Amino acid sequence: MSYSTDLFAEPDTLPAQRFRARLARTLIADGEGFATRDVPRLPLTLEGVPGDRHAGHARPADSRVPWYPRGAPIRNARQLTLVAPDELEAIAHRLGVPEVRPEWVGANLVVEGVERLTWLPPGTRLHFPGGAALAVEGENAPCRHAGAAVARACPGVAGLDLAFVKAAAGLRGLVAWVERAGEIAAGTDVELRVPAQRLWRR
């Protein structure tokens, strides 16, 4: 078998990193819709946050995964949603509204002190005091449902539901799943472990 010489070429690589941030707020979606509310702490099981609308080992396939039949059970890698205050401020600025609050867009965790939170790669781990840990699945793509929530909160601005999708691109935060159960609390530190990254291309 012959191999391309490119197979043995050194890939473009970023080294692994570790740094600390702050878990500013913890929220739960336990009412109607996907809006969240503040709680001082969140218990985490391997199914997610008990009582949260996104908890569960599995979830039904939706428009984010069009390669599966709609409604088919698939692994739930979207148990929690993470956002950053500076990114929400940037979205609000793009939309021309005073603010975009984490609870409007269904956030579970507000993480401070991470530049470009949304750009963290899949496989990043968040380790919390006491041992609980999350694994980042990837970027949370903006959708009209979140845009509609922003529009309801800012009724004086027309077209926010659609405008949000474009304004929040690259700023909407992350989705993650529970890798190790435990309890997490607002106001505590979190250690982020970013894996080494290699640029894959054909």
Side-chain angles (χ1 to χ4, degrees):
M1 180 181 291
S2 61
Y3 295 94
S4 166
T5 55
D6 288 343
L7 183 65
F8 304 102
E10 189 65 27
D12 296 327
T13 303
L14 293 174
Q17 299 181 58
R18 289 191 186 190
F19 57 93
R20 301 192 78 79
R22 181 174 180 269
L23 179 58
R25 294 172 62 185
T26 47
L27 306 96
I28 187 171
D30 59 355
E32 292 189 14
F34 68 83
T36 50
R37 63 179 181 88
D38 279 283
V39 290
R41 59 190 70 246
L42 287 174
L44 301 181
T45 72
L46 296 183
E47 293 188 57
V49 178
D52 188 275
R53 67 172 289 143
H54 294 107
H57 283 300
R59 71 177 185 89
D62 56 19
S63 59
R64 296 182 183 88
V65 286
W67 42 89
Y68 298 120
R70 184 67 65 95
I74 61 173
R75 184 178 182 276
N76 184 10
R78 303 178 58 86
Q79 293 173 343
L80 290 96
T81 299
L82 291 66
V83 299
D86 58 336
E87 293 185 332
L88 294 179
E89 289 176 11
I91 295 170
H93 177 75
R94 289 180 177 180
L95 291 173
V97 298
E99 61 181 344
V100 172
R101 296 181 183 175
E103 56 267 34
W104 296 350
V105 295
N108 295 111
L109 307 182
V110 180
V111 181
E112 295 179 340
V114 182
E115 288 187 46
R116 297 182 293 275
L117 176 81
T118 299
W119 294 14
L120 287 175
T124 296
R125 263 58 179 181
L126 290 85
H127 292 261
F128 299 89
L134 299 178
V136 170
E137 175 67 14
E139 180 177 348
N140 190 12
C143 67
R144 288 187 63 183
H145 296 295
V150 175
R152 286 192 295 271
C154 304
V157 183
L160 283 180
D161 55 338
L162 290 175
F164 176 84
V165 176
K166 182 177 180 180
L171 297 168
R172 176 68 174 86
L174 303 164
V175 289
W177 47 274
V178 178
E179 185 166 61
R180 188 181 182 200
E183 186 175 78
I184 60 177
T188 56
D189 286 346
V190 52
E191 182 185 53
L192 283 86
R193 302 182 183 183
V194 183
Q197 301 166 68
R198 295 176 177 84
L199 179 61
W200 186 91
R201 55 176 171 251
R202 254 180 109 180

